[in-house]
Amino acid sequence: VLLAALREGGRVVGFQVAGYRTGAEEIGARQRRLAGGLAQIGSLCLQNALLVSRLEQANRVKSDFISMMSHELRTPLNIVLGYTGLLREGAFGPVGEEQGRVLERIDHGAAGLLDLINTTLDLSQLERGTVAFQVSNVDLRALLAEIEIQC
């Protein structure tokens, strides 16, 4: 029987075992070198699998963080947009011309930030694979015309 250690760094994490069923042949230097090489490859495979697992976990934590932060940012931003809209409509009294321009800038900046947050949430959902797709027929000419107008 030939025993070769599988290592992660300096510590042994497992063993690779090989042997002859009949026990009639002696294990030679060539077989020992081959087993040692296979054990090194096995060790690399185990290290790579562990690294991939850790990277996947880190990616999940990152995606969860982005999703949570995006949701946490949307709530107060929607309040800002709501009150800005109420102020612009005069719900709390008349708004002067200069105040109206300031409110418009606030509204424009907040809407842009909300769009960025929503895009970040969409990206997070795409990464997690939780986006629900809606399949429907599209008038391609109308879609291309709309894209051309926006560009």
Side-chain angles (χ1 to χ4, degrees), residues 32-48:
R32 283 193 291 276
R33 282 193 311 274
L34 182 60
L38 290 173
Q40 285 180 338
I41 291 171
S43 295
L44 287 172
C45 289
L46 288 172
Q47 289 174 9
N48 285 343

Side-chain angles (χ1 to χ4, degrees), residues 39 77 83 108 139 150:
L77 192 56
Y83 276 107
H108 181 72
D139 181 357
Q150 291 181 4

Side-chain angles (χ1 to χ4, degrees), residues 1-6 16 18 20 26-42:
V1 173
L2 181 62
L3 200 63
L6 299 174
Q16 176 181 320
Y20 292 111
E26 188 175 311
I27 296 174
R30 182 171 183 236
Q31 284 91 357
R32 283 193 291 276
R33 282 193 311 274
L34 182 60
L38 290 173
Q40 285 180 338
I41 291 171

Side-chain angles (χ1 to χ4, degrees), residues 36-115:
L38 290 173
Q40 285 180 338
I41 291 171
S43 295
L44 287 172
C45 289
L46 288 172
Q47 289 174 9
N48 285 343
L50 182 61
L51 182 60
V52 166
S53 175
R54 288 179 180 164
L55 288 172
E56 287 172 344
Q57 181 182 5
N59 194 40
R60 280 191 301 275
V61 168
K62 176 205 61 135
S63 292
D64 290 345
F65 174 78
I66 289 172
S67 179
M68 181 189 69
M69 287 307 299
S70 296
H71 281 291
E72 292 299 318
L73 290 171
R74 276 175 51 177
T75 301
L77 192 56
N78 279 322
I79 292 170
V80 169
L81 285 167
Y83 276 107
T84 304
L86 288 171
L87 285 168
R88 288 176 68 192
E89 292 171 2
F92 301 106
V95 175
E97 188 176 322
E98 181 63 26
Q99 291 169 327
R101 284 194 294 272
V102 170
L103 288 172
E104 188 175 327
R105 286 193 301 257
I106 291 171
D107 197 41
H108 181 72
L113 186 56
L114 184 61
D115 187 44

